[in-house]
């Protein structure tokens, strides 16, 4: 029922970073099929709507023929099952990531023993990159941050990210 050649990479991707993209590209070289699952959590208010995230990620991975992008709500493990994927792909940056991923992996394995979690170590140049850091840079740096953001996010993310904080500003 579950296809071990099909991996599913879930996250919030609010927004997608070069660190996420690195995991997607590397995952797509290992697995014949890769689905990127954008988790929708009704308890959180993300900066980018699910549709915006979906469109941006689809644009960024358009050159990868074996990658699909979808949104989901509910448990990640249920989404992997729904895709009939046999692997949940995760990226780890730090020792503290490993600690929380360890707990989550055990829980997911209890919920669905046929789905294996596979970890890729973050590339050295992206270990410090996170969506929250990027939002801080864009919020504080505004337009002046555009050049700096190139080092952290794929190009199509830069203008929409800066526009978010411009909007927030004018509404205050
Ligand atoms: P969440 O909101 O669930 O933490 P994220 O969108 O931040 O999800 O991350 C999704 C996945 O990508 C997680 O496995 C996370 O560890 C991994 N990840 C996030 N940033 C990086 C990075 N810079 N390099 C490698 N993996 C990363």
């Amino acid at each position: 029922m579950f296809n071990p050649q099909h991996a599913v990479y879930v996250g919030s991707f609010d927004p997608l970073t070069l660190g996420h993209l690195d995991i997607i590209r590397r995952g797509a070289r290992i697995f014949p099929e890769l689905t990127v699952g954008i988790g929708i959590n009704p308890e959180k208010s993300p900066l980018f709507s699910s549709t915006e995230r979906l469109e941006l990620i689809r644009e960024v991975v358009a050159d990868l023929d074996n990658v699909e992008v979808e949104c989901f709500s509910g448990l990640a493990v249920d989404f992997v099952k729904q895709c009939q994927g046999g692997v949940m792909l995760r990226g780890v940056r730090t020792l503290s990531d490993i600690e929380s991923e360890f707990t989550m992996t055990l829980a997911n394995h209890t919920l669905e023993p046929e789905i294996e979690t596979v970890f890729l170590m973050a590339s050295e140049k992206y270990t410090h990159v996170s969506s929250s850091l990027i939002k801080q840079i864009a919020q504080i740096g505004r337009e002046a941050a555009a050049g700096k953001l190139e080092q952290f996010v794929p190009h199509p993310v830069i203008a929409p990210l800066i526009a978010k904080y411009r909007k927030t500003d004018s509404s205050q």
Side-chain angles (χ1 to χ4, degrees):
M1 183 186 166
F2 300 111
N3 179 2
Q5 314 262 347
H6 182 175
V8 181
Y9 178 45
V10 299
S12 312
F13 309 114
D14 185 38
L16 181 79
T17 71
L18 288 178
H20 295 135
L21 183 59
D22 182 58
I23 298 292
I24 295 172
R25 288 194 179 282
R26 289 162 61 201
R29 282 203 297 267
I30 301 170
F31 297 97
E33 256 184 283
L34 179 71
T35 301
V36 178
I38 305 169
I40 311 299
N41 182 348
E43 315 259 288
K44 283 190 189 168
S45 22
L47 183 63
F48 286 90
S49 71
S50 51
T51 314
E52 288 170 326
R53 281 178 277 164
L54 185 71
E55 285 171 359
L56 272 176
I57 302 177
R58 280 190 176 153
E59 180 181 345
V60 171
V61 303
D63 63 313
L64 300 171
D65 293 339
N66 58 339
V67 177
E68 285 205 6
V69 191
E70 306 290 342
C71 291
F72 73 95
S73 49
L75 292 176
V77 75
D78 287 340
F79 177 66
V80 181
K81 254 162 93 171
Q82 191 190 309
C83 298
Q84 298 184 351
V87 172
M88 186 183 291
L89 182 66
R90 304 287 294 169
V92 285
R93 287 161 290 188
T94 56
L95 280 180
S96 62
D97 265 2
I98 292 179
E99 213 175 313
S100 54
E101 293 287 344
F102 187 73
T103 320
M104 211 179 338
T105 302
L106 289 179
N108 285 336
H109 207 254
T110 307
L111 292 169
E112 190 45 76
E114 280 187 54
I115 294 173
E116 292 294 348
T117 303
V118 170
F119 296 98
L120 289 181
M121 292 274 291
S123 297
E124 202 183 7
K125 57 184 172 178
Y126 301 128
T127 45
H128 60 299
V129 177
S130 66
S131 299
S132 51
L133 169 82
I134 283 153
K135 285 186 271 199
Q136 270 179 8
I137 295 172
Q139 185 170 25
I140 297 165
R142 309 286 163 84
E143 265 74 7
K148 298 181 180 78
L149 286 170
E150 263 175 24
Q151 297 167 67
F152 302 108
V153 293
H155 202 261
V157 175
I158 298 176
L161 179 57
I162 289 176
K164 286 284 174 195
Y165 291 106
R166 203 182 295 130
K167 265 191 217 151
T168 310
D169 244 14
S170 56
S171 64
Q172 279 171 356

